[in-house]
Amino acid sequence: MAPAKHSLLILLCFAITIPSYFIPVSSQNKPVFACDVSNNRDLRSLKFCDQSFDVKTRVADLVSRLTLQEKIGWMSSTSKGITRLGIPEYQWWSEALHGVARSPGTQFSSLVPGATSFPQTILAAATFNDPLFEAIGKVVSTEARAMYNVGLTGLTFWAPNVNIFRDPRWGRGQETPGEDPSLSSRYAAAYVKGLQQRDDGDINRLKVAACCKHYTAYDLDFWKGIERYSFNAVVTRQDLDDTFQPPFKSCVLDGNVASVMCSYNQVNGKPTCGDPDLLNGVIRGQWNLNGYIVSDCDSLEKMFSSQHYTKTPEETAALAVNSGMDLNCNHFISSNALAAVNRGLLNETAINRAISNNFATMMRLGFFDGEPSKQLYGNLGPKDLCTEANQELAREVAQQGIVLLKNSENSLPLSPTAIKTLAVIGPNAKATETMIGNYAGTPCRYTSPWEGLMRSVPTIYDPGCINVLCKTAQIEGAKRIAASQDAVVLVMGSDQSIERETMDRVDITLPGQQQLLVSEVAKVSKGPVILVIMSGGGMDVQFAKDDPKITSILWVGFPGEAGGAAISDIIFGYHSPSGRLPMTWYPQSYTKQVEMTNMNMRADPKTGYPGRTYRFYKGPTVFPFGHGLTYSEFSHNLVDAPKLVYVPLEEGHVCLSTKCKSIDALEETCKNLAFDIHLSVKNVGKMRGSHTVLLFSSPPQVHNSPQKQLLGFEKLHLMPEEEGMVRFNIDVCKQLSLVDENGHRKIALGQHLLHVASLTHFLNVGI
Ligand SMILES: *[C@@H]1O[C@H](CO)[C@@H](O)[C@H](O)[C@H]1NC(C)=O
């Protein structure tokens, strides 16, 4: 989305705290919907209002009744009312990245002062728990429906953000499920299901409509003067198909998402919203999207005015619609589509296609079914927001996501009885808004880290720096309290002033003098020193890793409204941590070595380019992808796994007579080509807790393949001495395959090394 520029509505979307005078005093109490037959009996005879017909028939009927101007009115995010047919104006733009969020279509009021604010996506991803991803989506959509029923939100939400967290500096990395395409794919499908799936199992209808964004290869906002609006992402065919596209593909094919948003940037010289191959070709043609394609807000305007890709506004509008875009966020289409038609650049057939996709989505949402109170979810209301259970889930996600990065001599958990006094230091120690990150609403309430810790033991607080920028640390005061307490918790890191939409980082160290403060405080502390890093992206905290006085390090993402409670739960051992890093933590030197604009995932030995993410980067890390400790100990045992898998080939296949390094993953080859891996996992430590099992494979080195890739993950909860079983079903073509230089999916022949923690197993793939 674009930052505030055009209207008050857009302003609302970006202000984190909304001054109260922006909120209408008495908010509207009725939801918007069409076909209100109780108010207007004439509507009864209209086929598009008649639920006994299928969606396609109803949409065709509606489209056939509209004038060209009325049609164009339904191609923009602020769709125009058609009073003569009982259709109200509708605002498409609502947000729900990790809770119902303030946006042009969504507001809070005295009736609904808040909604449950879950941890920012990057921390939810760190749970590696897909039932949980879906559970979050389900709570968000229930709260959304409840708000819709009292006229405070629409039904179309532009979430999740499933771009790959390609570079540690990206300001919006916090919004994503991390750097791994398979984790992101599973997050996308699960979160979308949670938002969209109805409890009555009717798959033709939607609870709310989700949207996977920003399609595609979008992961630079503003870095050293380079802007997302005009950035041309130069992406190889191979990287596109095995890194950037998979989350979108899974979102459409596995999640059945109702919408995809095209991004601002260009991919290989073409703006994504004006690329018929990417939209018509892939999203519609290959993936068969059942829904609408929406442009990012002002994408078309930027295509014309920043990128100079098109010569006139009319040409721009025509290009986007003809490429497959159905809905335009903001006003570009409503201002230019008619002129485009008059100039013969755009025809009514294309317009009909676009609005049919838009109307079909609204029909699946029940918008054309009359009075919402008579429909499923019609009885939800303010009482269904911020329930104890919903807020408890927000706390649980944070508990499961928080990553224990270092814990020397098992100094954590702290004993709430042995520790009599605690120093709580740092600019994020009393964080509230910082905890909910961006794309947020008003939370039900906040529990700051300090508040959470204070519930267990008496604390003394000192901020150490006036804010996270920490230009000058106030070291003496912090040292004084640190020296006198039994233990020290330092809550450091970033906030939206360091990393956010429209602002990427240049450095990935702790901001300002935070490092100095941490080191100085650690020197004088007599007990354990726990460094808590609150941030979206990774931080180079090598100094803390190496400092024996800093006994533990926790990464807590932006942990949501209950973040402080979850941090305290972990520190005092009420919950054993089980989160794993969903992205590589690079050293600061990486930022000197790598231009953020270089999209290449693979290392290039010729230029010294080190590559990106755990799949390709071989250089030093501060903490690797998948890292995360627990308070217990878990042993793994391989129970059953094949040593050999044969890929059947038809007679006369060229690879039967000549030696091939890989074969095409074609549909007929792939049928039933799967195997199981059984593991037993035992809690051999002293504490109950969850354990995250990550199964990786290192394929044979052909086609510049990844050095390692995630095949599967599973989370289990075990009591001390308890043993659990994990079964991974591996689809050879989907999970074990790789993408070659031309974007074709291949099965590499030869030895694949499978690994879970220190356990390894060789699997031979033969023909
Ligand atoms: C309308 O425009 C589309 C896209 O340019 C084109 O494929 C189609 O043939 C046109 N249809 C008519 C009826 O002119």
Side-chain angles (χ1 to χ4, degrees):
M1 304 319 95
K5 257 187 201 147
H6 296 276
S7 69
L8 185 67
L9 284 178
I10 297 173
L11 236 176
L12 276 173
C13 177
F14 285 91
I16 299 280
T17 323
I18 300 299
S20 55
Y21 52 81
F22 276 4
I23 299 172
V25 180
S26 70
S27 50
Q28 168 194 358
N29 278 318
K30 256 185 96 59
V32 282
F33 65 97
C35 300
D36 189 0
V37 292
S38 59
N39 243 341
N40 181 349
R41 298 182 58 85
D42 297 345
L43 299 176
R44 234 173 261 245
S45 60
L46 301 175
K47 204 189 242 180
F48 73 83
C49 289
D50 186 341
Q51 291 175 58
S52 66
F53 292 101
D54 64 15
V55 167
K56 213 174 153 193
T57 309
R58 294 171 72 189
V59 167
D61 174 70
L62 172 54
V63 170
S64 74
R65 294 173 191 275
L66 303 183
T67 66
L68 180 59
Q69 253 141 340
E70 286 169 337
K71 289 176 182 177
I72 290 171
W74 272 77
M75 294 173 77
S76 287
S77 53
T78 313
S79 284
K80 293 201 175 68
I82 306 166
T83 321
R84 66 181 180 94
L85 294 172
I87 300 171
E89 166 181 309
Y90 177 72
Q91 175 53 258
W92 289 78
W93 184 355
S94 285
E95 300 284 354
L97 183 65
H98 54 106
V100 181
R102 194 169 286 108
S103 37
T106 305
Q107 55 186 309
F108 293 86
S109 74
S110 52
L111 201 57
V112 178
T116 308
S117 193
F118 288 93
Q120 184 60 293
T121 308
I122 191 74
L123 193 73
T127 68
F128 281 86
N129 186 345
D130 19 350
L132 197 59
F133 304 154
E134 189 170 334
I136 300 167
K138 196 169 171 179
V139 166
V140 174
S141 56
T142 297
E143 295 199 348
R145 271 283 170 179
M147 287 179 75
Y148 169 73
N149 289 342
V150 290
L152 292 170
T153 184
L155 294 166
T156 43
F157 292 86
W158 294 346
N161 178 343
V162 297
N163 290 119
I164 293 295
F165 196 169
R166 174 185 59 93
D167 188 290
R169 291 161 285 193
W170 188 30
R172 300 188 78 175
Q174 58 178 299
E175 298 174 30
T176 75
E179 74 181 25
D180 180 64
S182 73
L183 172 60
S184 298
S185 297
R186 282 173 66 172
Y187 179 85
Y191 189 66
V192 166
K193 283 181 191 167
L195 286 180
Q196 293 194 162
Q197 277 181 359
R198 287 164 50 108
D199 293 294
D200 63 2
D202 185 345
I203 55 161
N204 295 315
R205 291 168 157 260
L206 299 164
K207 189 175 174 191
V208 303
C211 170
C212 281
K213 67 191 187 185
H214 314 78
Y215 182 82
T216 187
Y218 166 66
D219 47 33
L220 177 149
D221 263 59
F222 188 73
W223 179 77
K224 296 190 176 174
I226 295 153
E227 267 198 306
R228 57 180 177 170
Y229 306 119
S230 49
F231 176 59
N232 176 21
V234 177
V235 184
T236 67
R237 191 73 244 173
Q238 191 173 25
D239 287 342
L240 190 65
D241 284 332
D242 85 347
T243 295
F244 300 107
Q245 295 288 70
F248 292 99
K249 184 176 180 182
S250 170
C251 181
V252 176
L253 292 176
D254 306 326
N256 291 312
V257 78
S259 176
V260 174
M261 178 183 285
C262 50
S263 55
Y264 290 118
N265 56 291
Q266 299 187 344
V267 174
N268 298 328
K270 289 184 190 166
T272 58
C273 291
D275 185 339
D277 295 329
L278 280 178
L279 305 189
N280 282 336
V282 178
I283 301 179
R284 292 255 170 237
Q286 291 174 26
W287 301 343
N288 209 8
L289 172 74
N290 178 15
Y292 68 100
I293 298 177
V294 58
S295 75
D296 204 337
C297 305
D298 295 327
S299 270
L300 304 195
E301 208 272 320
K302 298 296 175 188
M303 190 191 300
F304 172 65
S305 66
S306 300
Q307 300 177 12
H308 310 290
Y309 185 75
T310 40
K311 284 192 269 313
T312 62
E314 296 80 12
E315 188 194 324
T316 314
L319 176 66
V321 179
N322 289 332
S323 296
M325 187 206 73
D326 303 305
L327 190 82
N328 165 230
C329 177
N330 286 345
H331 314 293
F332 200 87
I333 284 286
S334 45
S335 316
N336 298 299
L338 192 59
V341 172
N342 291 337
R343 291 192 191 171
L345 301 167
L346 180 62
N347 62 37
E348 208 157 337
T349 315
I351 289 176
N352 288 348
R353 177 221 76 218
I355 57 168
S356 296
N357 289 330
N358 301 342
F359 284 134
T361 305
M362 295 309 293
M363 248 163 227
R364 294 170 68 204
L365 286 162
F367 185 80
F368 287 93
D369 294 348
E371 185 56 60
S373 63
K374 300 198 179 108
Q375 301 176 32
L376 181 61
Y377 303 117
N379 55 8
L380 294 175
K383 65 176 188 332
D384 298 294
L385 285 118
C386 292
T387 62
E388 279 306 311
N390 293 359
Q391 293 197 64
E392 192 45 42
L393 187 66
R395 179 173 179 162
E396 190 184 333
V397 176
Q399 287 173 337
Q400 286 200 32
I402 289 173
V403 183
L404 179 62
L405 295 169
K406 173 184 178 182
N407 196 22
S408 51
E409 295 148 31
N410 295 325
S411 56
L412 279 183
L414 299 182
S415 155
T417 48
I419 301 290
K420 302 268 186 277
T421 55
L422 186 67
V424 182
I425 295 170
N428 276 337
K430 285 195 175 176
T432 53
E433 268 175 44
T434 297
M435 295 196 299
I436 61 172
N438 63 353
Y439 287 86
T442 306
C444 314
R445 61 165 181 251
Y446 290 112
T447 307
S448 74
W450 172 72
E451 248 185 288
L453 293 164
M454 208 173 53
R455 284 177 196 168
S456 284
V457 295
T459 65
I460 302 183
Y461 161 77
D462 188 295
C465 319
I466 46 171
N467 55 34
V468 291
L469 293 170
C470 199
K471 280 224 161 66
T472 319
Q474 276 94 52
I475 294 165
E476 292 315 314
K479 275 164 74 174
R480 222 168 10 251
I481 71 160
S484 64
Q485 306 300 304
D486 294 339
V488 178
V489 175
L490 288 139
V491 193
M492 312 303 287
S494 71
D495 64 15
Q496 304 295 310
S497 71
I498 302 285
E499 45 177 342
R500 65 159 186 270
E501 182 165 16
T502 71
M503 189 169 130
D504 302 320
R505 286 184 293 169
V506 172
D507 298 308
I508 54 175
T509 46
L510 287 177
Q513 292 194 333
Q514 286 193 30
Q515 176 173 334
L516 180 70
L517 176 72
V518 172
S519 300
E520 290 298 310
V521 162
K523 262 186 216 161
V524 299
S525 301
K526 55 177 186 177
V529 176
I530 299 118
L531 171 61
V532 175
I533 300 161
M534 191 179 287
S535 71
M539 296 278 177
D540 180 347
V541 287
Q542 188 67 40
F543 78 95
K545 204 177 145 187
D546 297 339
D547 185 342
K549 289 284 285 179
I550 299 168
T551 47
S552 305
I553 308 176
L554 289 167
W555 174 66
V556 302
F558 293 126
E561 62 167 62
I567 290 168
S568 174
D569 294 336
I570 301 265
I571 288 179
F572 287 106
Y574 303 118
H575 188 96
S576 173
S578 60
R580 300 296 191 92
L581 288 182
M583 75 297 208
T584 305
W585 283 35
Y586 301 88
Q588 164 74 359
S589 58
Y590 188 81
T591 64
K592 304 284 177 273
Q593 216 180 345
V594 175
E595 297 281 307
M596 198 179 166
T597 48
N598 189 332
M599 298 294 292
N600 289 334
M601 298 302 296
R602 285 156 168 88
D604 184 354
K606 284 199 295 290
T607 61
Y609 179 74
R612 295 176 177 282
T613 78
Y614 81 93
R615 291 161 68 228
F616 302 104
Y617 172 73
K618 294 189 180 78
T621 60
V622 178
F623 293 109
F625 174 89
H627 179 66
L629 308 169
T630 70
Y631 291 156
S632 202
E633 252 179 277
F634 296 87
S635 71
H636 304 86
N637 199 359
L638 193 65
V639 176
D640 191 22
K643 289 194 162 67
L644 204 56
V645 171
Y646 279 110
V647 182
L649 294 180
E650 80 274 20
E651 235 175 286
H653 191 287
V654 60
C655 293
L656 292 172
S657 48
T658 54
K659 192 161 164 50
C660 294
K661 289 190 162 166
S662 68
I663 49 166
D664 290 313
L666 299 174
E667 209 172 314
E668 57 272 24
T669 318
C670 294
K671 242 177 244 152
N672 305 323
L673 203 55
F675 61 89
D676 276 354
I677 294 178
H678 285 253
L679 290 167
S680 69
V681 180
K682 190 172 178 187
N683 185 346
V684 294
K686 292 195 178 62
M687 205 172 149
R688 60 183 285 178
S690 291
H691 175 61
T692 306
V693 182
L694 304 180
L695 171 67
F696 292 97
S697 85
S698 295
Q701 286 300 303
V702 310
H703 303 302
N704 234 331
S705 59
Q707 54 189 336
K708 122 186 201 191
Q709 61 186 355
L710 188 64
L711 289 192
F713 54 85
E714 197 70 53
K715 198 147 185 163
L716 25 87
H717 189 90
L718 296 171
M719 303 301 285
E721 297 302 311
E722 195 189 352
E723 192 166 341
M725 294 290 277
V726 182
R727 189 187 71 110
F728 290 105
N729 182 256
I730 304 298
D731 180 313
V732 173
C733 287
K734 274 194 182 147
Q735 287 147 284
L736 211 61
S737 64
L738 39 97
V739 172
D740 75 4
E741 295 80 351
N742 302 313
H744 297 134
R745 211 152 255 289
K746 301 268 190 176
I747 304 165
L749 299 175
Q751 219 162 50
H752 296 243
L753 179 67
L754 307 184
H755 36 118
V756 173
S758 59
L759 197 71
T760 58
H761 174 76
F762 280 111
L763 171 76
N764 236 301
V765 177
I767 47 176

